[in-house]
Amino acid sequence: MLKKILIGLAAVLLTAIAGGSYLLHHLSTRSLPDYEGTAAVAGLSQKVTIYRDRHAVPHITAENEEDLYFAVGYTLAQDRLWQMDLLRRVTQGRLAEIFGEDLVEVDLLMRALRIPDKSKRILAQTEPPIKSALEQFSAGVNHYIKTLGDRLPPEFTVLGYEPEPWQPEHSVNLVGYMAWDLTLPNSTEPVLHKIAQKVSRAQFKEMLPGDLARQPAVYETYADKDTGLNLENMLADRHRLLEEMGLNIFTGSNNWAVAGKKSATGRPILANDMHLGLNAPGLWYQMHQKAAGGVDVTGVVLPGQPFVICGHNRRIAWGMTNVMVDDMDFYRETLHPEDPGRYEFNGEYRPFTTRTETIRIKGGKERTETLKFTHRGPVVSRFKDLKGGPVSMKWLGNDPSNELKTVYLLNRAGNWEEFKYALRTFRAVSQNVNYADVDGNIGLYCSAGIPIRKKGDGLGIVPGRTDEYDWAGVVPFEEQPHVYNPASGFVSSANNKTAPDSYPYYISRWYALNYRIGRIREVLGSKEKLSLDDFKRLHSDFKSKMAETFTPFFLEMLSPDTHRLSPLEKQGMDLLQNWDGVVDSSSGAAALFELMYTGMVEGLVRDELGPGLYKEFAASSMLHRYLTRNIVLKKASAFCDDINTRDKTERLGDIIRQSFSDAVARLRETCGDNPENWAWGEIHQLALKHPLGKVKLLDRLLGLNDQARPVGGSFHTVCPMAYKLSNPFVINHGASHRHIYHTGDWDRSLSVIPTGISGIPASPHYCDQTGMYAAGQYHPDLFTLGEIKGASRYTLVLTPRKK
């Protein structure tokens, strides 16, 4: 998609080349901020000091909170202005203005979500201190934009536009986008709908979680063989375009905490690593905010909003993982037989609400489209005369919530009760939030909007003619799963099943399988006392619980034909037999295992699905995992027979043996004839890429992409250097940060992000933490002012400008 932009960039690139190195250097470096000295700033009432360490992580100290949040906006704009503008444009549905016509459908989808509408409602009800913080943040951003003049970051010049003033609404919009991005059904259910029309019922059941597969009523929603419905094109394809540009938020994560009785320090320790797409610049921005007599908090901030999302203050620490809640439903609406402008509901015909949207397109063109809405939400199918009627979408993200209020209060909370009170408005961005405090307490709270459905469990496309499948509300906050000071001495979550079967409400069935959480709990339970070093090792742990199950299965399937194996294949089998299940970058067995796994999945289902639908299936992070888990458990599959070989009936062992032979051949081609030289890191590498980095000339001129680095891990390890089966083994997902918080001595806390503080490619702090991140290392996350001053590399003082 971005390659088409080359035509529009020709003038800029030719000018840069013709002007020689000076012009190119100026374009690359002109926006680099000054981290040192003194700057007089209009909008401050008192002095603000910004200390930065050797990685340029800012520690902002102010005399009051109004000046603090002004400086927060100023500082974020120094380092991440273009990223902030890009995220803002996503929420507004305004990407086509800068990228061109390919993004029109993405813009229309985002406008259908009506994120700015909800933001306006939230702001109208927001308490004065929070609204003041948002206004001061915006003022700080806008002041810095004015100081830049024609020294904007290079992306603005390349794409030919300038940033507009920042407004408080834009900060609230970003939270709405986070809620949308981590919603599961938009990337899973449309694909399932298409697969159900293509395969047998027995095959379809193998792709579902085990408990869901045992419920035959589920499949009633898939009985319609309507081939015209193309929800995948409307939802998942658009979602993938956003992912290409590094605009996806977190869908996985790990967090855990141990109490003082299980801590080598004698005080609780808390860890968190939220998982998202790995790109440059990374999503999170490390920051410490301190106001005299007020807030004192450090952690990660989402560029474009002022509050610490996950971190710690003087008294408590917290981190987040996705609940995986099913908070989106699809309804097939029935049109009036004579008036397509109305749909049936409870025996009456209601008019669709319509909204005319004009999309401005790069180059001066415009496109006007009409979006339709029912009382449930947008009509997302966007088609005419489809048998069975259009499909509307109900999404919890449109319901009342106020996540910015939650994080504002978390930044100031001092105990478990204040922590819980803060979480009450955290509804649309559903998270398991872990907790530890200086008094020795730990806990975990499922802070989520959990729909209470009148009927069904939200899977598939249900009839919309009545309120039969509508929601009756959400689970009361007090009844959401939580735990406080458990007898085990630790809490943990990794997107796994939220509550036991006895829990009275349905949350989801599309949880992460127990590979990560199983390993985390295994390690937490393995020692009487755990240290900071134990936490560091667990963050970077490559031991695979999935490999413990799958490797014996693979070997069992291969064993009947060992006499047919080539000498090299026998050596490969020896690697698997002697493997410890650690997916290390130097491991040949790990490489063989991952190649076998991807080959097995493709060998099983590609012939039934066809190349197009297989690509959609393989792009889903969930479906193949449930399929293979189910197959390994029963050691059989309805997918085994290759429909393209009419004279032969393949069995599961045939698929496994073929995937093994293909994997050995691939490693021989890639790494040579000696299995001792085979290595997972040869085919599995971390390469952080900029949204414009696909244009090779731009990358070469501006240094947009980071170098590729061999790394271990996979989607099934605690350290999740994950890939999609649709594009193996390109790492697209992993820990977006790692934090370890020591409640007994905050200055002993540790932190690292995959990239660096700066979003400006020419900055020495663009990817200066990447090497540490890949090696499982950290830098100190200092908190007390004396330690911060002693470690500071840069100091910038902002003073009030005299009128």
Side-chain angles (χ1 to χ4, degrees), residues 78-89:
Q78 280 187 307
D79 290 320
R80 300 289 186 93
L81 182 59
W82 185 71
Q83 183 186 31
M84 289 166 59
D85 186 76
L86 187 62
L87 287 167
R88 167 172 59 175
R89 285 180 172 275

Side-chain angles (χ1 to χ4, degrees), residues 58-318:
H59 300 260
I60 304 175
T61 63
E63 296 302 313
N64 57 76
E65 292 195 0
E66 290 79 7
D67 287 345
L68 172 68
Y69 287 117
F70 182 99
V72 169
Y74 183 96
T75 303
L76 268 168
Q78 280 187 307
D79 290 320
R80 300 289 186 93
L81 182 59
W82 185 71
Q83 183 186 31
M84 289 166 59
D85 186 76
L86 187 62
L87 287 167
R88 167 172 59 175
R89 285 180 172 275
V90 175
T91 67
Q92 295 174 316
R94 296 180 58 197
L95 290 172
E97 291 182 24
I98 60 173
F99 287 118
E101 199 156 7
D102 285 339
L103 274 295
V104 168
E105 289 295 325
V106 174
D107 284 346
L108 285 169
L109 174 59
M110 297 312 300
R111 294 192 188 194
L113 298 179
R114 298 177 290 186
I115 289 173
D117 291 6
K118 180 177 176 179
S119 296
K120 290 183 175 69
R121 295 194 299 271
I122 289 173
L123 281 172
Q125 301 171 4
T126 294
E127 292 88 339
I130 303 175
K131 186 176 292 187
S132 173
L134 293 170
E135 290 169 348
Q136 286 295 103
F137 174 85
S138 299
V141 173
N142 293 331
H143 180 86
Y144 187 73
I145 292 174
K146 288 180 181 178
T147 67
L148 282 176
D150 61 356
R151 298 182 296 109
L152 290 168
E155 295 94 337
F156 289 105
T157 300
V158 167
L159 295 171
Y161 79 104
E162 296 181 359
E164 298 169 359
W166 197 269
Q167 299 174 18
E169 174 190 314
H170 302 152
S171 296
V172 187
N173 286 351
L174 298 184
V175 179
Y177 180 64
M178 290 173 66
W180 161 255
D181 192 83
L182 59 79
T183 295
L184 283 174
N186 76 75
S187 60
T188 302
E189 292 186 8
V191 187
L192 274 176
H193 180 87
K194 298 174 79 172
I195 291 173
Q197 298 171 25
K198 192 91 172 179
V199 302
S200 70
R201 178 162 295 192
Q203 291 170 326
F204 182 67
K205 288 172 68 174
E206 289 186 2
M207 294 190 178
L208 302 175
D211 55 344
L212 188 59
R214 290 192 292 270
Q215 298 184 28
V218 166
Y219 311 113
E220 299 301 320
T221 61
Y222 290 97
D224 185 359
K225 293 291 183 178
D226 180 0
T227 58
L229 181 60
N230 200 359
L231 279 176
E232 174 67 12
N233 284 344
M234 183 56 192
L235 298 178
D237 278 353
R238 289 4 175 196
H239 205 264
R240 281 195 290 271
L241 279 174
L242 294 172
E243 185 177 349
E244 270 186 38
M245 295 191 295
L247 296 173
N248 56 327
I249 315 297
F250 49 101
T251 55
S253 298
N254 302 317
N255 66 16
W256 62 87
V258 298
K261 68 180 183 180
K262 276 195 68 70
S263 166
T265 70
R267 306 295 291 274
I269 310 174
L270 180 144
N272 185 210
D273 57 299
M274 295 180 284
H275 305 162
L276 60 118
L278 296 174
N279 306 281
L283 188 70
W284 298 120
Y285 185 91
Q286 299 162 301
M287 176 180 279
H288 180 192
Q289 306 171 359
K290 179 179 176 64
V295 70
D296 190 0
V297 63
T298 186
V300 290
V301 172
L302 179 66
Q305 68 81 42
F307 309 131
V308 170
I309 303 293
C310 293
H312 76 79
N313 57 31
R314 297 185 192 98
R315 292 193 51 81
I316 78 165
W318 70 96

Side-chain angles (χ1 to χ4, degrees), residues 471-491:
W471 299 355
V474 295
V475 175
F477 179 78
E478 292 77 12
E479 297 181 41
Q480 293 169 195
H482 58 276
V483 61
Y484 183 59
N485 287 333
S488 65
F490 66 85
V491 295

Side-chain angles (χ1 to χ4, degrees), residues 39 61 69 230 249 283 402 506 573 575 648 707 733 801:
T61 63
Y69 287 117
N230 200 359
I249 315 297
L283 188 70
N402 193 338
Y506 166 73
M573 194 165 176
L575 280 180
K648 182 181 179 182
Q707 65 185 22
H733 190 83
R801 178 180 294 170

